């Protein structure tokens, strides 16, 4: 799957993060973050999924987010 460029034109990087949920548990999420402008894609929880699947889902979530900002870009 091809990752779309950020709205600033840079290539985003997939990051693995640990965050605390409202009930106090720690959760691992993946998201795409732009190293130039800092734009952050949606967080995709990794619980119960293979890492490659979660990365693909994070890239897809990023692509959907960027497409909503630039809908006419192919």
């Amino acid at each position: 799957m091809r990752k779309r460029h950020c709205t600033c034109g840079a290539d985003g990087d997939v990051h693995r993060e640990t965050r605390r949920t409202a009930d106090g548990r720690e959760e691992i999420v993946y998201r795409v973050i732009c190293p130039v402008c800092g734009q952050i894609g949606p967080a995709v929880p990794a619980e119960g999924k293979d890492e490659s699947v979660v990365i693909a889902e994070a890239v897809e979530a990023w692509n959907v987010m960027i497409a909503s900002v630039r809908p006419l870009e192919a």
Side-chain angles (χ1 to χ4, degrees), residues 4-12 34 37 39 62 65-70 73:
R4 290 179 178 247
H5 291 289
C6 180
T7 55
C8 73
D11 281 327
C34 178
C37 72
Q39 185 159 242
W62 170 265
M65 183 186 80
I66 297 299
S68 71
V69 176
R70 296 190 314 232
E73 182 181 284

Side-chain angles (χ1 to χ4, degrees), residues 19-74:
R19 67 180 183 186
R20 189 167 304 278
T21 62
D23 62 357
R25 294 182 306 112
E26 287 191 351
E27 174 182 53
I28 296 174
V29 296
Y30 284 77
R31 63 175 71 209
V32 177
I33 300 175
C34 178
V36 175
C37 72
Q39 185 159 242
I40 300 172
V44 178
E47 188 173 343
K49 299 177 189 172
D50 185 59
E51 184 178 40
S52 61
V53 171
V54 180
I55 290 172
E57 289 176 2
V59 169
E60 179 61 24
W62 170 265
N63 287 346
V64 168
M65 183 186 80
I66 297 299
S68 71
V69 176
R70 296 190 314 232
L72 300 178
E73 182 181 284

